[in-house]
Each structure stands twice: as structure tokens, then as C-alpha cells.
Amino acid sequence: MSNQQKVKVLVQVPCLNEEGTLESVLKSIPKHIPNVDIKLLVIDDGSKDRTVEIANQCGVHHIIRHARNQGLGRSFHDGAQLALHLGVDILVNTDGDNQYPQDRIPDLIQPIIDGNADMVIADRQTATIQHFSYGKKLLQKWGSHVVNNAAGTNVPDAASGFRAYSREALIQLNTITRFSYTMETIIQAGNKRLAITSVPVKTNAKTRESRLFRSTHEHVYKSALAIIRAYLMYKPYVLFVNAGILFLLLGLVPFVRFLFFVTHPNGAHHLQSLIAGSVLLTISLISFALAIIADLVRINRVLLENQLEISKRHYTNFD
């Protein structure tokens, strides 16, 4: 990315009833960064308090309003679309609860400005966060490990919402999950061979409980669904191929048993082995057929994404 002209940066703040902390967040965002033109966007996801009023009082450049809560994933999607429409070079996402150190935004965008990354994710160093329970720290570490395996990446804090995206990343990424975009975009970026890096940060003191989920069980469940869905978008055949191999091996066992006893005088009594083996091998054959179909669907989705990418490039304002 050229440093001869100012880099256009849009900082978006998704909000749901953040009147108590939004002002602090907006005031802590750096207003002057060398060679950077920075604009602010607040995405009001169905707030019932003074969130929008405070955003206006703080001089926010853009506001997107949802009449009803639509989820963090949808808020990110709408912000990304606006960023493309405005022709920004970098989109920064932070939270309205003042969890993240906004003064680190220059460090977050620098790898993209230098041309070394398409996506930069703040590493909260969750193992050092005091208000995180041992169980939550373990889940964060395990979740990041699962995402990295699915994406072929090495992101230490996959759930972090403090991150920056290049324009190219916004063009290539397509969010589907409405619960949270954080892990889905990593899996997509990894499979699309976008460059991802991390910047270690220290979070601010906790201001409230998370509104993204009501319990740890709900968080794990929804995160798992998001990871599985995103993974199957790019490698759907893996599930069916593995199932096919499993049922093939299971089906061979009763067949071998049947063949072993077929010469026995009472071999007819082992007909159930032949039936069980036939059923299992049929399931195996169906699984392999579904793997072929799933791969054809994946190829079709890739072609559609290519068309969407062309549309996004045409849609983006480069002035």
C-alpha cells in the first residue's frame, strides 16, 4: 500500500445499549495518525438507550441503525459493505464496551499499510486476563486451536473482535453467520490464502458481562456451529469421505466373518453378517457419492463467490 497519499481508515463500533461506555470508546480512538484519514462508524444494533444520541454528540461520521437486534455478524457485514462503498483502504473493528485499547489502532493497521498483511487480529493474551475464569481461558485456547486447524493459520486469539481488514480482505470475505463473524472470517481468510498476523495488546478493565451470549454453553454451541459451517464451506467432502471410509471398514468386518464361516456346516446361520455388511457398505457407497456431490456444490459456490468478488470490485468507490 502506497504511503504517498493518506490511507483511508474506517473504525466501526458495533453497539447494543452502550450509552455507558460509548463516549469513552469514541474519545479514545486516535483522531490524528500520520498519513491516515480516519473516520468513525457506529452500528446501532437495535439499542433502546441513548447510544445513537451519544454517537451524534461525539461527531461520528457515519451511523447505521437496525430497528431490531440482528446480531454481531450482521453488524459487521453492514459495516464492511459501507467500507467498500466509501472506498476505504482499511476497516478497523472495535467494541462499544471499551474492552479494547483504542490507542493501539495505529499498531493494528501498520502491517496492512506496510503490505505485510490483509488481516490483523489483536491478541488479548487471554491467559493474563484476570477476570477470565480458568474455564474461559481454556475454552478460548481450545477454540483458537480448532479454528487454526480448520483455517491452516496460527492466530493466538481467534475470538478477538479488535482487528483490521484490508480492502482486499473485505472484497474476498463473505460472512454468513449472524452470531459472530470472528472465527468465520479467519477460516475463510485462511482458505483463501490471505495474510493474517497478530498484534499483542492488553485489554481495559471489564465494564459489563458479554451480551453476545447468555451462558458459556450457548457460546460454545454457537461458536462450534459457526466453525463447522465455515469449515464445510471449503472442505465439505472431508466429512463424507471420512464417513465413507468408516462405514467401509465397519462393513468389511461382517463380510470377513461371513466368509470365514461360509464353509462351516452351519454357515447359513451367519446370514445376518452378510446382511449387516451389505447395509454398511451401502451406507459407505452413499457417503462417497455425497462427497462427490458436496465437492461439486463447493465448486459452484467458488464460482459464485468469484462473481460476487467481481461485483464488489465494481461496487467499491476508488476515488
Side-chain angles (χ1 to χ4, degrees), residues 139-166:
L139 283 174
Q140 293 283 355
K141 183 177 181 180
W142 177 80
S144 296
H145 175 72
V146 171
V147 170
N148 286 324
N149 282 340
T153 55
N154 186 28
V155 178
D157 188 8
S160 172
F162 191 34
R163 48 178 68 188
Y165 296 84
S166 69

Side-chain angles (χ1 to χ4, degrees), residues 238-280:
V238 172
L239 173 64
F240 297 109
V241 167
N242 287 333
I245 293 173
L246 175 63
F247 284 111
L248 175 63
L249 296 176
L250 292 176
L252 290 177
V253 173
F255 263 114
V256 171
R257 182 175 183 274
F258 174 78
L259 292 174
F260 180 79
F261 289 108
V262 72
T263 56
H264 193 275
N266 296 324
H269 294 291
H270 299 282
L271 187 61
Q272 67 274 14
S273 295
L274 181 61
I275 296 174
S278 299
V279 171
L280 291 171

Side-chain angles (χ1 to χ4, degrees), residues 21-300:
T21 55
L22 181 57
E23 184 176 0
S24 298
V25 172
L26 295 175
K27 287 186 175 180
S28 63
I29 294 175
K31 303 303 184 294
H32 303 285
I33 302 175
N35 298 319
V36 171
D37 178 19
I38 191 165
K39 303 293 184 184
L40 304 182
L41 162 66
V42 165
I43 305 172
D44 170 37
D45 194 24
S47 297
K48 303 300 182 183
D49 61 1
R50 297 175 56 250
T51 293
V52 174
E53 180 182 339
I54 292 173
N56 281 318
Q57 290 175 354
C58 292
V60 169
H61 303 91
H62 305 280
I63 296 177
I64 295 176
R65 298 195 67 178
H66 296 160
R68 181 179 178 182
N69 179 259
Q70 297 186 30
L72 185 59
R74 178 69 195 194
S75 295
F76 173 80
H77 172 270
D78 290 351
Q81 294 303 305
L82 179 62
L84 288 174
H85 178 68
L86 295 174
V88 304
D89 299 300
I90 302 173
L91 173 67
V92 174
N93 189 92
T94 187
D95 283 351
D97 62 358
N98 203 30
Q99 172 188 176
Y100 301 117
Q102 321 305 332
D103 60 344
R104 295 297 305 277
I105 287 178
D107 299 318
L108 207 63
I109 65 176
Q110 194 60 49
I112 297 178
I113 294 175
D114 294 339
N116 297 323
D118 297 299
M119 187 171 165
V120 183
I121 301 173
D123 175 13
R124 295 171 295 174
Q125 306 174 85
T126 54
T128 65
I129 300 178
Q130 294 183 355
H131 67 265
F132 274 20
S133 66
Y134 174 77
K136 187 171 184 177
K137 291 178 181 179
L138 192 62
L139 283 174
Q140 293 283 355
K141 183 177 181 180
W142 177 80
S144 296
H145 175 72
V146 171
V147 170
N148 286 324
N149 282 340
T153 55
N154 186 28
V155 178
D157 188 8
S160 172
F162 191 34
R163 48 178 68 188
Y165 296 84
S166 69
R167 178 192 295 169
E168 183 62 27
L170 295 178
I171 289 174
Q172 293 197 37
L173 299 177
N174 302 295
T175 55
I176 298 174
T177 305
R178 292 298 173 252
F179 167 63
S180 177
Y181 64 92
T182 54
M183 298 183 181
E184 180 185 14
T185 51
I186 293 174
I187 294 175
Q188 286 194 31
N191 282 279
K192 292 189 175 184
R193 311 301 295 172
L194 295 175
I196 307 175
T197 190
S198 293
V199 173
V201 302
K202 290 185 178 181
T203 59
N204 297 324
K206 181 179 179 180
T207 57
R208 60 164 175 77
E209 296 296 332
S210 173
R211 296 196 184 107
L212 188 59
F213 51 89
R214 288 168 292 186
S215 66
T216 302
H217 295 295
E218 181 186 19
H219 178 55
V220 171
Y221 173 72
K222 289 186 176 181
S223 296
L225 286 181
I227 293 171
I228 292 171
R229 178 184 293 175
Y231 179 74
L232 291 180
M233 282 178 61
Y234 294 93
K235 299 178 181 177
Y237 50 84
V238 172
L239 173 64
F240 297 109
V241 167
N242 287 333
I245 293 173
L246 175 63
F247 284 111
L248 175 63
L249 296 176
L250 292 176
L252 290 177
V253 173
F255 263 114
V256 171
R257 182 175 183 274
F258 174 78
L259 292 174
F260 180 79
F261 289 108
V262 72
T263 56
H264 193 275
N266 296 324
H269 294 291
H270 299 282
L271 187 61
Q272 67 274 14
S273 295
L274 181 61
I275 296 174
S278 299
V279 171
L280 291 171
L281 290 181
T282 300
I283 296 175
S284 174
L285 180 62
I286 293 173
S287 296
F288 286 127
L290 288 174
I292 295 174
I293 295 172
D295 194 45
L296 292 175
V297 172
R298 178 192 65 83
I299 293 172
N300 185 63

